[in-house]
Amino acid sequence: PYTLLHWGLHPYGIYTGTGLCLAFMYWNAKRRFSVSSALYPILGDKVDGKVGDWINAVTIFCVIGGVATGFGLGTMQFTSGLGLITGKNVDNNLMYLIVISCLATVYIISACTGLHKGIALISNINTGVYVILLVFFFFAGGPKFILNMAVTTIGQYIDILPVQAFYLEPAIQSGWVGGNTVFYLAWWLAFAPIMGLFLIRLAKGRTIREFIVMNLFAPVLFALVWFSIFGGSAIRQQLLGNMAIWETIQAQGIQVALFAFFKQYPFAGIISVLGLIAIALSFITNAEANVLTVAEMTARPDEETDTSNVQEVSPHWLKVFWG
């Protein structure tokens, strides 16, 4: 239930709420493609001047911090998994630099190809890898246990949601809330404006109901399935007395948890490679969308640009700069 507290309704509610405001102001009110447009009903024409520029600048600063955090965590997880697969110690600064350079090159090139080419292709491949992993671990991890875990998790999530969403450890301060709940909420908020802008591209011709269903409830449902299958399979391994996962985490850090989990199943080598691909593509998908969106927001479009379609007006050099 605490996993869903951090990855369930909160993040996608933040994204959907921001996206709905921006989509309405862009498509219906014909405002410019920028975060500041969402504040037009409050600030009026100030959003087209210096005030709007500062709002957009702070947004970009937050996004850079959010992407950097995700990049750091993803790189550590990727290199640790690579080390477990190859049996070599590759968890060092040089390997970090190589991984970062390779991933950055891919997501910059993809962003330059546009929404309907590179980004769509990588997103579809990423989805395919996710589905393969989900199906495999659903059957290999114990379907009955996983289904029971999913139903139980829903009930516990509903039970703790109103209390834990507001809990800040005022008396006994263990540090857990700050390092988890507050950390994740701050992370989601940092990404919210840019994710909201990106969702504009998926909003044309949709009703508000359709927009909310697809951007709030569908991702939360997927998160429930994902964490029930992977979390349920891992918990079942622990209940069966297989302590290799926890021992590996204690020896090598939390970033190796996924690959230590993979080792407990048949075809561990193939599954681990798919896991590496999923990590890489997940970050690339996120980063390329942010690069494209920030570049579009900071470009100077022609005043006669037709807002009946989202025009990609940013030059490639600007996408490379932000990438």
Side-chain angles (χ1 to χ4, degrees), residues 177-214:
V177 171
N180 290 272
T181 305
V182 176
F183 170 80
Y184 281 114
L185 287 177
W187 200 1
W188 305 135
L189 284 170
F191 276 108
I194 294 300
M195 288 302 298
L197 278 178
F198 184 74
L199 293 180
I200 286 178
R201 300 171 178 278
L202 310 178
K204 185 182 180 184
R206 307 294 182 186
T207 64
I208 292 177
R209 181 184 291 108
E210 290 171 337
F211 186 86
I212 292 174
V213 168
M214 292 308 299

Side-chain angles (χ1 to χ4, degrees), residues 30-315:
K30 306 301 181 184
R31 303 302 304 173
R32 58 183 289 202
F33 186 80
S34 66
V35 173
S36 59
S37 293
L39 297 176
Y40 179 76
I42 299 174
L43 299 178
D45 292 334
K46 291 181 179 179
V47 299
D48 295 326
K50 293 296 183 181
V51 173
D53 291 340
W54 276 105
I55 292 171
N56 295 325
V58 170
T59 297
I60 294 171
F61 178 80
C62 292
V63 168
I64 291 173
V67 173
T69 302
F71 215 160
L73 295 173
T75 299
M76 291 172 63
Q77 187 179 33
F78 186 92
T79 53
S80 297
L82 190 63
L84 280 179
I85 292 174
T86 61
K88 299 179 180 180
N89 183 16
V90 296
D91 199 10
N92 54 65
N93 289 336
L94 177 60
M95 184 55 67
Y96 292 158
L97 181 60
I98 293 173
V99 170
I100 288 171
S101 299
C102 292
L103 293 181
T105 299
V106 174
Y107 74 66
I108 289 172
I109 292 174
S110 179
C112 289
T113 63
L115 179 66
H116 300 293
K117 294 182 181 179
I119 293 180
L121 176 63
I122 292 178
S123 298
N124 290 334
I125 295 174
N126 197 24
T127 302
V129 174
Y130 277 175
V131 171
I132 292 172
L133 291 173
L134 285 172
V135 171
F136 175 82
F137 283 106
F138 176 74
F139 290 103
K144 181 180 178 181
F145 184 87
I146 289 172
L147 291 173
N148 288 338
M149 178 66 68
V151 174
T152 302
T153 299
I154 293 173
Q156 291 180 337
Y157 178 49
I158 295 173
D159 181 51
I160 71 167
L161 181 59
V163 175
Q164 293 301 322
F166 290 92
Y167 182 60
L168 293 175
E169 293 187 312
I172 302 174
Q173 298 183 0
S174 67
W176 188 89
V177 171
N180 290 272
T181 305
V182 176
F183 170 80
Y184 281 114
L185 287 177
W187 200 1
W188 305 135
L189 284 170
F191 276 108
I194 294 300
M195 288 302 298
L197 278 178
F198 184 74
L199 293 180
I200 286 178
R201 300 171 178 278
L202 310 178
K204 185 182 180 184
R206 307 294 182 186
T207 64
I208 292 177
R209 181 184 291 108
E210 290 171 337
F211 186 86
I212 292 174
V213 168
M214 292 308 299
N215 293 306
L216 175 58
F217 296 112
V220 171
L221 178 61
F222 180 83
L224 172 66
V225 173
W226 180 270
F227 288 118
S228 294
I229 291 177
F230 276 85
S233 299
I235 291 172
R236 182 169 176 268
Q237 287 286 342
Q238 295 294 128
L239 293 176
L240 291 174
N242 188 343
M243 300 301 291
I245 298 175
W246 179 238
E247 291 173 352
T248 304
I249 291 173
Q250 287 182 309
Q252 302 182 43
I254 192 66
Q255 64 269 17
V256 303
L258 181 65
F259 297 94
F261 166 70
F262 287 160
K263 278 192 170 184
Q264 312 309 314
Y265 290 89
F267 312 110
I270 297 174
I271 295 300
S272 295
V273 171
L274 287 176
L276 283 177
I277 294 173
I279 292 170
L281 293 183
S282 294
F283 181 79
I284 289 171
T285 301
N286 178 276
E288 64 192 3
N290 284 305
V291 168
L292 182 63
T293 304
V294 172
E296 296 299 319
M297 188 174 72
T298 54
R300 258 185 219 283
D302 189 336
E303 292 180 356
E304 297 180 358
T305 296
D306 180 12
T307 57
S308 62
N309 283 300
V310 178
Q311 300 290 332
E312 293 179 7
V313 297
S314 59

